[in-house]
Amino acid sequence: MFKSSASTTRYLSRGFAQRRLASTKTVRDVLEEVIPKKQLQLKQLKTEHGQAVLGDVKVEHVVGGMRGLKAMLWEASVLDPNEGIRFHGMTIQDCQKVLPAAPGGKEIIAESMFWLLLTGKVPTEAETRQLSRELAEKGELPEYIEKLIDSLPTTLHPMTQLGMGVAALNHESKFQAAYEQGIKKSEYWTYALEDSINLLARLPALAARIYRNIYNPGKPIPKINKDLDLVGNYANMLGFGDNYDLTEYLRLYIAIHGDHEGGNASAHTSHLVGSTLADPYLSYAAGLYALAGPLHGLANQEVLRWQMSMQKELGDNISHDHIREYLWRTLKSGQVVPGYGHGVLRNPDPRFMALQEFCETRPELLADPIVQLVKKTYEVAPAVLKEHGKTKNPYPNVDAASGCVLYHYGLTQFKYYTVIFGVSRALGCLTQYVWAKALGLPIERPKSLSMDAIEKLIKQ
Ligand code: AMX
Protein backbone atom coordinates (compact mmCIF):
# COMPACT_ATOMS: atom_id res chain seq x y z
CA MET A 1 0.00 0.00 0.00
CA PHE A 2 2.76 2.48 0.88
CA LYS A 3 5.02 1.66 -2.04
CA SER A 4 7.67 3.92 -3.49
CA SER A 5 5.95 6.12 -6.04
CA ALA A 6 6.63 6.82 -9.67
CA SER A 7 7.97 10.23 -8.67
CA THR A 8 11.00 8.69 -6.91
CA THR A 9 11.75 6.60 -9.96
CA ARG A 10 11.52 9.75 -12.04
CA TYR A 11 13.90 11.61 -9.75
CA LEU A 12 16.43 8.82 -9.91
CA SER A 13 16.08 8.12 -13.63
CA ARG A 14 16.67 11.79 -14.44
CA GLY A 15 20.13 11.44 -12.95
CA PHE A 16 18.94 13.34 -9.92
CA ALA A 17 21.47 11.61 -7.69
CA GLN A 18 24.29 13.17 -9.75
CA ARG A 19 22.82 16.65 -9.67
CA ARG A 20 22.24 16.32 -5.97
CA LEU A 21 25.97 16.22 -5.33
CA ALA A 22 26.64 19.27 -7.44
CA SER A 23 24.15 22.00 -6.55
CA THR A 24 24.86 24.50 -3.77
CA LYS A 25 21.95 26.86 -4.24
CA THR A 26 20.18 28.54 -1.36
CA VAL A 27 16.50 27.88 -0.78
CA ARG A 28 15.84 31.48 -1.85
CA ASP A 29 17.65 30.86 -5.20
CA VAL A 30 15.47 27.84 -5.88
CA LEU A 31 12.30 29.66 -4.90
CA GLU A 32 13.15 32.49 -7.26
CA GLU A 33 13.25 29.89 -10.05
CA VAL A 34 10.02 28.11 -9.18
CA ILE A 35 7.77 30.99 -8.11
CA PRO A 36 7.21 32.49 -11.61
CA LYS A 37 6.08 29.09 -12.93
CA LYS A 38 3.58 28.67 -10.12
CA GLN A 39 2.35 32.24 -10.52
CA LEU A 40 1.68 31.51 -14.18
CA GLN A 41 -0.10 28.27 -13.28
CA LEU A 42 -2.38 30.13 -10.87
CA LYS A 43 -3.06 32.86 -13.41
CA GLN A 44 -4.11 30.23 -15.97
CA LEU A 45 -6.30 28.45 -13.44
CA LYS A 46 -8.04 31.71 -12.65
CA THR A 47 -8.50 32.93 -16.20
CA GLU A 48 -9.14 29.65 -18.04
CA HIS A 49 -10.85 27.54 -15.37
CA GLY A 50 -12.19 30.03 -12.85
CA GLN A 51 -15.74 28.72 -13.27
CA ALA A 52 -14.92 24.98 -13.32
CA VAL A 53 -16.83 23.02 -10.66
CA LEU A 54 -14.82 20.93 -8.17
CA GLY A 55 -17.78 19.61 -6.16
CA ASP A 56 -21.09 20.53 -4.58
CA VAL A 57 -21.59 22.33 -1.32
CA LYS A 58 -24.16 20.38 0.66
CA VAL A 59 -25.91 21.13 3.91
CA GLU A 60 -23.85 18.32 5.46
CA HIS A 61 -20.69 20.28 4.64
CA VAL A 62 -21.97 23.42 6.31
CA VAL A 63 -23.15 21.68 9.48
CA GLY A 64 -20.44 19.00 9.48
CA GLY A 65 -17.21 20.91 9.97
CA MET A 66 -16.70 21.35 6.19
CA ARG A 67 -15.41 17.77 6.05
CA GLY A 68 -14.47 16.86 2.48
CA LEU A 69 -15.21 20.31 1.07
CA LYS A 70 -12.60 21.21 -1.54
CA ALA A 71 -12.19 24.86 -0.72
CA MET A 72 -8.54 25.67 -0.07
CA LEU A 73 -5.31 26.02 -2.03
CA TRP A 74 -2.31 24.32 -0.38
CA GLU A 75 0.76 23.51 -2.42
CA ALA A 76 3.19 21.50 -0.30
CA SER A 77 1.26 18.30 0.27
CA VAL A 78 -1.95 16.49 -0.60
CA LEU A 79 -3.58 13.86 1.58
CA ASP A 80 -5.06 10.84 -0.14
CA PRO A 81 -7.70 9.10 2.02
CA ASN A 82 -6.26 5.67 1.24
CA GLU A 83 -2.57 6.23 0.57
CA GLY A 84 -1.97 9.00 3.07
CA ILE A 85 0.25 12.01 2.75
CA ARG A 86 2.32 12.94 -0.30
CA PHE A 87 4.75 15.81 -0.17
CA HIS A 88 4.86 17.26 -3.69
CA GLY A 89 3.77 13.84 -4.89
CA MET A 90 6.29 11.89 -2.80
CA THR A 91 5.29 9.36 -0.16
CA ILE A 92 7.11 9.09 3.16
CA GLN A 93 9.01 6.11 1.78
CA ASP A 94 10.04 8.10 -1.29
CA CYS A 95 11.31 10.84 1.00
CA GLN A 96 13.22 8.33 3.09
CA LYS A 97 15.04 7.24 -0.07
CA VAL A 98 16.06 10.63 -1.43
CA LEU A 99 16.05 13.31 1.25
CA PRO A 100 19.42 13.88 2.92
CA ALA A 101 19.80 12.73 6.53
CA ALA A 102 22.07 14.20 9.22
CA PRO A 103 25.79 13.35 8.93
CA GLY A 104 26.09 9.81 10.25
CA GLY A 105 22.31 9.48 10.57
CA LYS A 106 19.68 7.65 8.55
CA GLU A 107 16.43 9.49 9.15
CA ILE A 108 15.06 12.41 7.15
CA ILE A 109 15.83 15.74 8.77
CA ALA A 110 13.73 18.87 9.14
CA GLU A 111 15.94 20.88 6.78
CA SER A 112 15.60 18.53 3.83
CA MET A 113 11.83 18.24 4.39
CA PHE A 114 11.48 22.02 4.66
CA TRP A 115 13.41 22.41 1.42
CA LEU A 116 11.20 19.89 -0.34
CA LEU A 117 8.00 21.46 0.99
CA LEU A 118 9.07 24.97 0.02
CA THR A 119 10.52 24.30 -3.41
CA GLY A 120 9.11 20.96 -4.56
CA LYS A 121 12.74 19.91 -5.18
CA VAL A 122 14.98 17.43 -3.41
CA PRO A 123 17.94 19.32 -1.91
CA THR A 124 21.51 18.16 -2.36
CA GLU A 125 23.59 17.12 0.59
CA ALA A 126 25.49 20.42 0.35
CA GLU A 127 22.31 22.49 0.17
CA THR A 128 20.92 20.71 3.22
CA ARG A 129 24.10 21.31 5.23
CA GLN A 130 24.08 24.95 4.20
CA LEU A 131 20.53 25.34 5.45
CA SER A 132 21.40 23.54 8.70
CA ARG A 133 24.23 25.98 9.26
CA GLU A 134 22.06 29.00 8.49
CA LEU A 135 19.43 27.79 10.97
CA ALA A 136 22.05 27.11 13.63
CA GLU A 137 23.57 30.56 13.13
CA LYS A 138 20.18 32.18 13.60
CA GLY A 139 19.00 29.91 16.40
CA GLU A 140 19.77 31.85 19.60
CA LEU A 141 16.79 33.38 21.40
CA PRO A 142 16.65 37.12 22.02
CA GLU A 143 17.04 37.91 25.72
CA TYR A 144 13.51 39.28 26.09
CA ILE A 145 12.10 35.93 24.95
CA GLU A 146 14.24 34.05 27.46
CA LYS A 147 12.99 36.39 30.19
CA LEU A 148 9.38 36.01 29.06
CA ILE A 149 9.54 32.21 29.10
CA ASP A 150 11.43 32.14 32.40
CA SER A 151 8.77 34.34 33.98
CA LEU A 152 5.91 31.95 33.22
CA PRO A 153 4.55 29.58 35.88
CA THR A 154 5.89 26.08 35.32
CA THR A 155 2.32 24.84 35.71
CA LEU A 156 1.30 26.68 32.53
CA HIS A 157 0.82 24.11 29.75
CA PRO A 158 3.93 23.87 27.54
CA MET A 159 1.81 24.51 24.43
CA THR A 160 0.48 27.76 25.90
CA GLN A 161 4.07 28.79 26.57
CA LEU A 162 5.18 27.84 23.06
CA GLY A 163 2.42 29.90 21.46
CA MET A 164 3.28 32.89 23.65
CA GLY A 165 6.97 32.65 22.78
CA VAL A 166 6.29 32.38 19.05
CA ALA A 167 3.84 35.30 19.10
CA ALA A 168 6.28 37.48 21.07
CA LEU A 169 9.05 36.73 18.56
CA ASN A 170 7.09 38.87 16.11
CA HIS A 171 8.95 41.77 17.69
CA GLU A 172 11.62 40.65 15.20
CA SER A 173 9.34 40.37 12.17
CA LYS A 174 10.96 41.64 8.97
CA PHE A 175 7.66 41.15 7.17
CA GLN A 176 5.81 43.42 9.55
CA ALA A 177 8.56 46.07 9.45
CA ALA A 178 8.68 45.99 5.65
CA TYR A 179 4.88 46.15 5.40
CA GLU A 180 4.86 49.25 7.58
CA GLN A 181 7.30 50.84 5.15
CA GLY A 182 4.94 50.11 2.28
CA ILE A 183 6.68 47.42 0.24
CA LYS A 184 5.12 46.10 -2.97
CA LYS A 185 2.93 43.00 -2.85
CA SER A 186 5.35 41.18 -5.17
CA GLU A 187 8.04 41.50 -2.50
CA TYR A 188 6.00 40.06 0.36
CA TRP A 189 7.27 36.55 -0.08
CA THR A 190 10.94 37.46 0.39
CA TYR A 191 10.27 38.95 3.84
CA ALA A 192 7.93 36.07 4.61
CA LEU A 193 10.77 33.67 3.82
CA GLU A 194 13.22 35.56 5.99
CA ASP A 195 10.81 35.50 8.94
CA SER A 196 10.04 31.83 8.34
CA ILE A 197 13.70 30.84 8.41
CA ASN A 198 14.35 32.95 11.50
CA LEU A 199 11.33 31.47 13.28
CA LEU A 200 12.18 27.90 12.37
CA ALA A 201 15.76 28.49 13.52
CA ARG A 202 14.61 29.66 16.94
CA LEU A 203 11.93 27.08 17.62
CA PRO A 204 14.31 24.45 19.09
CA ALA A 205 15.82 26.89 21.59
CA LEU A 206 12.36 28.14 22.54
CA ALA A 207 10.83 24.68 22.85
CA ALA A 208 13.85 23.35 24.75
CA ARG A 209 13.80 26.26 27.19
CA ILE A 210 10.16 25.52 27.99
CA TYR A 211 11.05 21.87 28.63
CA ARG A 212 14.05 22.65 30.79
CA ASN A 213 12.20 25.25 32.86
CA ILE A 214 9.34 22.88 33.62
CA TYR A 215 11.05 19.53 33.97
CA ASN A 216 14.72 20.14 34.61
CA PRO A 217 15.13 23.61 36.06
CA GLY A 218 18.42 25.17 37.06
CA LYS A 219 20.71 23.26 34.72
CA PRO A 220 22.42 25.31 31.99
CA ILE A 221 21.10 24.69 28.47
CA PRO A 222 23.84 23.82 25.95
CA LYS A 223 24.65 26.44 23.34
CA ILE A 224 23.68 25.83 19.72
CA ASN A 225 26.29 23.75 17.89
CA LYS A 226 26.80 25.28 14.42
CA ASP A 227 27.76 21.89 12.97
CA LEU A 228 24.53 20.16 13.97
CA ASP A 229 21.21 19.94 12.19
CA LEU A 230 18.11 21.62 13.66
CA VAL A 231 16.82 18.55 15.47
CA GLY A 232 20.29 17.49 16.58
CA ASN A 233 20.49 20.82 18.35
CA TYR A 234 16.96 20.47 19.70
CA ALA A 235 17.77 17.07 21.24
CA ASN A 236 20.96 18.53 22.68
CA MET A 237 19.19 21.49 24.25
CA LEU A 238 16.47 19.24 25.66
CA GLY A 239 19.27 17.34 27.41
CA PHE A 240 19.16 14.20 25.21
CA GLY A 241 22.07 14.99 22.88
CA ASP A 242 23.95 11.83 23.82
CA ASN A 243 20.92 9.66 23.03
CA TYR A 244 21.48 8.82 19.37
CA ASP A 245 18.32 6.75 18.94
CA LEU A 246 16.05 9.38 20.46
CA THR A 247 17.69 12.04 18.30
CA GLU A 248 17.11 9.95 15.18
CA TYR A 249 13.52 9.31 16.23
CA LEU A 250 12.95 13.03 16.76
CA ARG A 251 14.37 13.69 13.28
CA LEU A 252 11.95 11.27 11.68
CA TYR A 253 9.04 12.41 13.83
CA ILE A 254 9.60 16.09 13.08
CA ALA A 255 10.11 15.55 9.35
CA ILE A 256 7.01 13.43 8.79
CA HIS A 257 4.73 15.54 11.01
CA GLY A 258 5.81 18.62 9.06
CA ASP A 259 2.82 18.92 6.78
CA HIS A 260 -0.52 17.16 6.34
CA GLU A 261 -2.17 19.27 3.64
CA GLY A 262 -4.08 22.43 4.52
CA GLY A 263 -7.46 21.53 5.95
CA ASN A 264 -6.34 20.27 9.36
CA ALA A 265 -7.04 22.67 12.20
CA SER A 266 -3.50 23.93 12.85
CA ALA A 267 -2.59 24.39 9.18
CA HIS A 268 -5.90 25.99 8.33
CA THR A 269 -5.81 28.34 11.33
CA SER A 270 -2.29 29.43 10.54
CA HIS A 271 -3.22 30.03 6.90
CA LEU A 272 -6.37 31.96 7.82
CA VAL A 273 -4.51 34.26 10.20
CA GLY A 274 -1.68 34.69 7.67
CA SER A 275 -4.21 35.68 5.01
CA THR A 276 -4.90 38.88 6.98
CA LEU A 277 -1.21 39.78 6.46
CA ALA A 278 -0.51 39.11 10.12
CA ASP A 279 3.19 38.17 10.10
CA PRO A 280 4.45 34.56 10.10
CA TYR A 281 5.02 34.58 13.87
CA LEU A 282 1.42 35.53 14.70
CA SER A 283 0.09 33.27 12.01
CA TYR A 284 2.00 30.27 13.35
CA ALA A 285 1.22 31.07 16.99
CA ALA A 286 -2.47 30.88 16.08
CA GLY A 287 -1.91 27.52 14.40
CA LEU A 288 -0.19 26.24 17.54
CA TYR A 289 -3.25 26.95 19.64
CA ALA A 290 -5.35 24.89 17.26
CA LEU A 291 -2.78 22.12 17.55
CA ALA A 292 -3.20 22.25 21.32
CA GLY A 293 -6.71 20.75 21.19
CA PRO A 294 -7.15 17.09 22.25
CA LEU A 295 -8.89 16.15 18.99
CA HIS A 296 -5.82 17.39 17.10
CA GLY A 297 -2.18 17.56 18.24
CA LEU A 298 -2.82 17.06 21.92
CA ALA A 299 -3.96 13.53 21.05
CA ASN A 300 -0.34 12.35 21.36
CA GLN A 301 -0.31 13.16 25.07
CA GLU A 302 -3.80 11.67 25.44
CA VAL A 303 -2.77 8.39 23.76
CA LEU A 304 0.04 7.79 26.18
CA ARG A 305 -2.04 8.76 29.18
CA TRP A 306 -4.74 6.31 28.02
CA GLN A 307 -2.34 3.46 27.20
CA MET A 308 -0.58 3.89 30.53
CA SER A 309 -3.77 3.80 32.52
CA MET A 310 -4.62 0.60 30.64
CA GLN A 311 -1.20 -0.77 31.55
CA LYS A 312 -1.56 0.33 35.18
CA GLU A 313 -4.88 -1.43 35.49
CA LEU A 314 -4.05 -4.59 33.55
CA GLY A 315 -0.30 -5.08 34.01
CA ASP A 316 2.44 -5.67 31.45
CA ASN A 317 1.41 -8.83 29.61
CA ILE A 318 -2.03 -7.72 28.55
CA SER A 319 -4.00 -10.11 26.36
CA HIS A 320 -5.88 -9.05 23.24
CA ASP A 321 -9.12 -9.86 25.05
CA HIS A 322 -8.26 -7.52 27.90
CA ILE A 323 -7.47 -4.73 25.43
CA ARG A 324 -10.73 -5.35 23.62
CA GLU A 325 -12.64 -5.10 26.88
CA TYR A 326 -10.78 -1.89 27.84
CA LEU A 327 -11.54 -0.35 24.44
CA TRP A 328 -15.24 -1.05 24.87
CA ARG A 329 -15.18 0.50 28.32
CA THR A 330 -13.60 3.66 26.88
CA LEU A 331 -16.20 3.83 24.13
CA LYS A 332 -19.16 3.07 26.40
CA SER A 333 -18.08 5.83 28.77
CA GLY A 334 -18.58 8.20 25.83
CA GLN A 335 -14.90 8.94 25.23
CA VAL A 336 -13.01 8.70 21.96
CA VAL A 337 -10.19 6.20 21.57
CA PRO A 338 -7.22 8.55 21.27
CA GLY A 339 -4.92 7.96 18.31
CA TYR A 340 -7.67 6.40 16.18
CA GLY A 341 -9.84 7.95 13.49
CA HIS A 342 -9.16 10.79 11.07
CA GLY A 343 -11.01 13.49 9.23
CA VAL A 344 -9.63 12.43 5.83
CA LEU A 345 -7.71 9.13 6.11
CA ARG A 346 -9.52 5.83 5.60
CA ASN A 347 -6.56 3.51 6.17
CA PRO A 348 -3.77 3.19 8.75
CA ASP A 349 -1.79 6.43 8.66
CA PRO A 350 1.53 5.91 6.81
CA ARG A 351 3.14 8.14 9.43
CA PHE A 352 2.00 5.62 12.05
CA MET A 353 3.47 2.85 9.89
CA ALA A 354 6.79 4.73 9.52
CA LEU A 355 7.08 5.13 13.29
CA GLN A 356 6.20 1.45 13.76
CA GLU A 357 8.94 0.56 11.27
CA PHE A 358 11.39 2.60 13.32
CA CYS A 359 10.45 0.44 16.33
CA GLU A 360 10.86 -2.77 14.30
CA THR A 361 14.56 -1.98 13.73
CA ARG A 362 15.36 -1.61 17.44
CA PRO A 363 15.15 -4.65 19.74
CA GLU A 364 15.08 -2.49 22.87
CA LEU A 365 11.90 -0.84 21.61
CA LEU A 366 10.28 -4.13 20.65
CA ALA A 367 10.94 -5.39 24.18
CA ASP A 368 9.36 -2.35 25.86
CA PRO A 369 5.91 -3.16 27.36
CA ILE A 370 4.40 0.20 26.37
CA VAL A 371 5.62 -0.12 22.76
CA GLN A 372 4.22 -3.66 22.73
CA LEU A 373 0.92 -2.39 24.11
CA VAL A 374 0.62 0.22 21.35
CA LYS A 375 1.19 -2.51 18.77
CA LYS A 376 -1.26 -4.91 20.39
CA THR A 377 -3.87 -2.18 20.61
CA TYR A 378 -3.45 -1.67 16.86
CA GLU A 379 -4.13 -5.40 16.37
CA VAL A 380 -7.44 -5.11 18.23
CA ALA A 381 -8.81 -1.57 17.96
CA PRO A 382 -9.86 -1.40 14.28
CA ALA A 383 -12.26 -4.34 14.68
CA VAL A 384 -13.72 -2.87 17.87
CA LEU A 385 -14.17 0.56 16.29
CA LYS A 386 -15.78 -1.03 13.22
CA GLU A 387 -18.21 -2.91 15.46
CA HIS A 388 -18.87 0.28 17.44
CA GLY A 389 -19.85 1.70 14.09
CA LYS A 390 -19.42 5.42 14.58
CA THR A 391 -15.99 6.46 13.32
CA LYS A 392 -15.54 6.61 9.57
CA ASN A 393 -11.92 5.55 9.99
CA PRO A 394 -11.28 2.78 12.53
CA TYR A 395 -7.51 2.84 11.94
CA PRO A 396 -4.65 4.47 13.85
CA ASN A 397 -3.46 7.96 13.06
CA VAL A 398 0.11 9.08 13.68
CA ASP A 399 -0.52 9.87 17.32
CA ALA A 400 -1.30 6.26 18.19
CA ALA A 401 2.43 5.54 18.00
CA SER A 402 4.29 8.78 18.41
CA GLY A 403 4.55 9.02 22.20
CA CYS A 404 5.61 5.53 23.26
CA VAL A 405 9.08 5.81 21.72
CA LEU A 406 9.69 9.19 23.34
CA TYR A 407 8.67 7.60 26.61
CA HIS A 408 10.97 4.65 26.16
CA TYR A 409 13.99 6.86 25.53
CA GLY A 410 13.40 8.90 28.66
CA LEU A 411 11.32 11.80 27.40
CA THR A 412 8.55 10.78 29.77
CA GLN A 413 6.71 14.07 30.32
CA PHE A 414 3.86 13.53 27.91
CA LYS A 415 2.33 16.94 28.52
CA TYR A 416 5.27 18.15 26.46
CA TYR A 417 4.70 15.93 23.42
CA THR A 418 2.52 18.35 21.49
CA VAL A 419 5.32 20.91 21.65
CA ILE A 420 7.46 18.55 19.54
CA PHE A 421 4.57 18.31 17.09
CA GLY A 422 4.47 22.12 17.21
CA VAL A 423 8.13 22.44 16.26
CA SER A 424 7.45 20.11 13.37
CA ARG A 425 4.26 21.60 11.98
CA ALA A 426 6.08 24.90 11.45
CA LEU A 427 7.66 23.31 8.35
CA GLY A 428 4.35 23.10 6.52
CA CYS A 429 2.62 26.18 7.90
CA LEU A 430 5.58 28.46 7.18
CA THR A 431 5.91 26.99 3.70
CA GLN A 432 2.28 27.84 3.07
CA TYR A 433 2.79 31.34 4.42
CA VAL A 434 5.59 31.96 1.91
CA TRP A 435 3.56 30.51 -0.97
CA ALA A 436 0.39 32.37 -0.04
CA LYS A 437 2.40 35.59 -0.35
CA ALA A 438 4.23 34.52 -3.51
CA LEU A 439 0.91 33.71 -5.16
CA GLY A 440 -0.83 36.77 -3.76
CA LEU A 441 -3.62 34.73 -2.20
CA PRO A 442 -6.40 36.90 -0.79
CA ILE A 443 -7.73 37.21 2.73
CA GLU A 444 -9.96 34.21 3.51
CA ARG A 445 -13.62 34.96 3.91
CA PRO A 446 -16.02 32.04 3.42
CA LYS A 447 -19.75 32.73 3.55
CA SER A 448 -21.57 31.59 6.65
CA LEU A 449 -25.28 30.87 6.94
CA SER A 450 -27.74 30.69 9.82
CA MET A 451 -30.07 27.65 10.02
CA ASP A 452 -32.94 29.87 8.94
CA ALA A 453 -30.92 31.05 5.95
CA ILE A 454 -30.12 27.43 5.04
CA GLU A 455 -33.81 26.50 5.20
CA LYS A 456 -34.69 29.45 3.03
CA LEU A 457 -32.13 28.41 0.44
CA ILE A 458 -33.44 24.83 0.48
CA LYS A 459 -37.00 26.05 -0.15
CA GLN A 460 -35.84 28.20 -3.05
N1 AMX B 1 -13.09 6.84 19.10
C1 AMX B 1 -14.44 6.91 19.28
N2 AMX B 1 -15.28 7.55 18.49
C2 AMX B 1 -14.74 8.15 17.42
C3 AMX B 1 -13.37 8.10 17.13
C4 AMX B 1 -12.54 7.42 18.02
N3 AMX B 1 -11.20 7.37 17.86
N4 AMX B 1 -13.12 8.80 16.00
C5 AMX B 1 -14.32 9.27 15.60
N5 AMX B 1 -15.28 8.88 16.45
C6 AMX B 1 -16.70 9.27 16.43
C7 AMX B 1 -16.81 10.78 16.42
O1 AMX B 1 -16.69 11.31 17.73
C8 AMX B 1 -18.15 10.98 15.80
O2 AMX B 1 -19.12 10.73 16.79
P1 AMX B 1 -20.46 11.62 16.88
O3 AMX B 1 -21.20 11.33 15.63
O4 AMX B 1 -21.13 11.11 18.10
O5 AMX B 1 -20.04 13.04 17.00
C9 AMX B 1 -18.24 9.85 14.78
O6 AMX B 1 -17.27 8.86 15.20
C10 AMX B 1 -17.88 10.27 13.36
O7 AMX B 1 -16.62 10.90 13.37
P2 AMX B 1 -15.67 10.82 12.08
O8 AMX B 1 -16.38 11.49 10.95
O9 AMX B 1 -15.19 9.44 11.85
O10 AMX B 1 -14.40 11.66 12.56
P3 AMX B 1 -14.19 13.23 12.53
O11 AMX B 1 -13.67 13.61 11.19
O12 AMX B 1 -15.39 13.94 13.03
O13 AMX B 1 -13.05 13.42 13.63
C11 AMX B 1 -11.03 12.88 14.73
C12 AMX B 1 -11.71 13.02 13.37
C13 AMX B 1 -9.56 12.63 14.51
C14 AMX B 1 -11.20 14.20 15.51
C15 AMX B 1 -11.68 11.72 15.50
O14 AMX B 1 -11.47 10.52 14.79
C16 AMX B 1 -11.17 11.58 16.92
O15 AMX B 1 -11.71 12.23 17.82
N6 AMX B 1 -10.11 10.73 17.15
C17 AMX B 1 -9.52 10.59 18.45
C18 AMX B 1 -8.60 11.77 18.75
C19 AMX B 1 -7.36 11.71 17.88
O16 AMX B 1 -6.69 10.70 17.78
N7 AMX B 1 -6.99 12.86 17.31
C20 AMX B 1 -5.76 12.99 16.52
C21 AMX B 1 -6.00 13.13 15.04
C22 AMX B 1 -4.71 13.29 14.30
C23 AMX B 1 -4.10 14.60 14.61
O17 AMX B 1 -4.66 15.63 14.30
N8 AMX B 1 -2.98 14.64 15.22
Side-chain angles (χ1 to χ4, degrees), residues 15-228:
F16 207 86
Q18 273 178 338
R19 279 206 292 135
R20 287 185 41 181
L21 293 174
S23 177
T24 53
K25 289 179 179 163
T26 66
V27 78
R28 179 180 291 268
D29 295 337
V30 182
L31 274 171
E32 267 163 8
E33 286 167 18
V34 294
I35 282 174
K37 291 177 202 149
K38 289 271 184 186
Q39 285 171 333
L40 184 65
Q41 189 182 4
L42 181 64
K43 198 171 165 198
Q44 282 169 347
L45 274 175
K46 279 204 243 179
T47 53
E48 292 168 26
H49 305 286
Q51 299 307 309
V53 176
L54 298 178
D56 296 325
V57 181
K58 298 185 179 141
V59 173
E60 68 175 17
H61 291 126
V62 180
V63 300
M66 298 187 275
R67 205 73 82 261
L69 194 69
K70 298 179 190 76
M72 190 179 175
L73 187 67
W74 190 273
E75 281 298 295
S77 67
V78 178
L79 183 58
D80 180 89
N82 295 311
E83 290 195 342
I85 193 67
R86 280 176 183 262
F87 309 104
H88 289 282
M90 289 167 68
T91 64
I92 290 173
Q93 286 185 331
D94 294 337
C95 292
Q96 286 173 315
K97 286 196 187 102
V98 298
L99 288 183
K106 279 192 183 155
E107 303 300 339
I108 315 167
I109 54 172
E111 291 85 338
S112 50
M113 180 55 85
F114 188 49
W115 190 293
L116 172 68
L117 294 175
L118 263 175
T119 66
K121 312 268 180 214
V122 173
T124 66
E125 187 89 22
E127 287 165 341
T128 309
R129 302 287 162 258
Q130 208 169 279
L131 181 57
S132 287
R133 180 156 277 269
E134 181 178 356
L135 293 171
E137 278 165 0
K138 295 177 168 170
E140 299 291 345
L141 288 179
E143 208 184 320
Y144 71 90
I145 295 290
E146 292 184 350
K147 282 192 183 147
L148 170 75
I149 298 300
D150 295 352
S151 74
L152 298 174
T154 53
T155 46
L156 188 61
H157 195 284
M159 278 302 280
T160 315
Q161 299 197 28
L162 184 66
M164 289 173 74
V166 169
L169 271 169
N170 95 319
H171 195 246
E172 314 288 308
S173 174
K174 305 283 186 231
F175 180 83
Q176 197 190 68
Y179 185 78
E180 274 171 22
Q181 283 172 14
I183 47 156
K184 284 191 280 192
K185 209 174 168 184
S186 59
E187 291 171 32
Y188 285 176
W189 76 266
T190 67
Y191 295 95
L193 178 66
E194 200 175 344
D195 274 1
S196 297
I197 289 177
N198 288 340
L199 170 53
L200 186 62
R202 284 165 170 174
L203 275 177
L206 175 61
R209 194 165 194 95
I210 293 166
Y211 180 82
R212 297 291 282 249
N213 280 353
I214 301 177
Y215 304 112
N216 208 349
K219 284 202 178 161
I221 303 173
K223 285 231 163 287
I224 289 174
N225 177 346
K226 306 263 178 349
D227 295 323
L228 270 183

Side-chain angles (χ1 to χ4, degrees), residues 46 185 271 274-276 436 439-445:
K46 279 204 243 179
K185 209 174 168 184
H271 175 68
S275 81
T276 68
L439 295 172
L441 297 186
I443 186 168
E444 275 201 353
R445 206 322 183 172

Side-chain angles (χ1 to χ4, degrees), residues 171-386:
H171 195 246
E172 314 288 308
S173 174
K174 305 283 186 231
F175 180 83
Q176 197 190 68
Y179 185 78
E180 274 171 22
Q181 283 172 14
I183 47 156
K184 284 191 280 192
K185 209 174 168 184
S186 59
E187 291 171 32
Y188 285 176
W189 76 266
T190 67
Y191 295 95
L193 178 66
E194 200 175 344
D195 274 1
S196 297
I197 289 177
N198 288 340
L199 170 53
L200 186 62
R202 284 165 170 174
L203 275 177
L206 175 61
R209 194 165 194 95
I210 293 166
Y211 180 82
R212 297 291 282 249
N213 280 353
I214 301 177
Y215 304 112
N216 208 349
K219 284 202 178 161
I221 303 173
K223 285 231 163 287
I224 289 174
N225 177 346
K226 306 263 178 349
D227 295 323
L228 270 183
D229 63 299
L230 190 87
V231 179
N233 267 310
Y234 184 28
N236 219 8
M237 288 187 280
L238 285 170
F240 293 95
D242 53 359
N243 190 331
Y244 173 78
D245 289 299
L246 176 63
T247 306
E248 279 284 274
Y249 180 73
L250 285 171
R251 286 179 176 131
L252 175 67
Y253 178 110
I254 286 175
I256 66 176
H257 275 74
D259 199 38
H260 215 227
E261 74 168 29
N264 66 78
S266 52
H268 188 196
T269 306
S270 172
H271 175 68
L272 168 65
V273 174
S275 81
T276 68
L277 296 189
D279 62 62
Y281 298 93
L282 295 181
S283 147
Y284 193 53
L288 282 169
Y289 288 127
L291 195 68
L295 294 186
H296 191 16
L298 211 76
N300 56 12
Q301 94 171 35
E302 295 306 303
V303 168
L304 210 60
R305 195 201 304 280
W306 177 77
Q307 296 270 212
M308 291 189 85
S309 61
M310 187 192 298
Q311 191 186 38
K312 196 168 164 204
E313 186 180 316
L314 302 170
D316 270 355
N317 285 316
I318 309 174
S319 70
H320 287 84
D321 281 344
H322 280 133
I323 297 174
R324 196 170 293 116
E325 193 265 332
Y326 197 90
L327 279 158
W328 275 115
R329 248 194 293 150
T330 302
L331 290 167
K332 283 180 182 163
S333 69
Q335 293 167 53
V336 294
V337 174
Y340 283 77
H342 199 272
V344 177
L345 284 168
R346 295 295 175 257
N347 252 325
D349 188 337
R351 300 172 300 172
F352 170 85
M353 304 311 273
L355 298 183
Q356 286 291 95
E357 275 163 28
F358 183 94
C359 296
E360 299 293 336
T361 59
R362 286 162 171 87
E364 74 276 12
L365 286 176
L366 292 178
D368 185 317
I370 195 74
V371 177
Q372 287 174 358
L373 185 56
V374 164
K375 195 172 174 207
K376 270 191 197 168
T377 304
Y378 168 47
E379 285 156 7
V380 177
V384 171
L385 284 165
K386 273 184 205 167

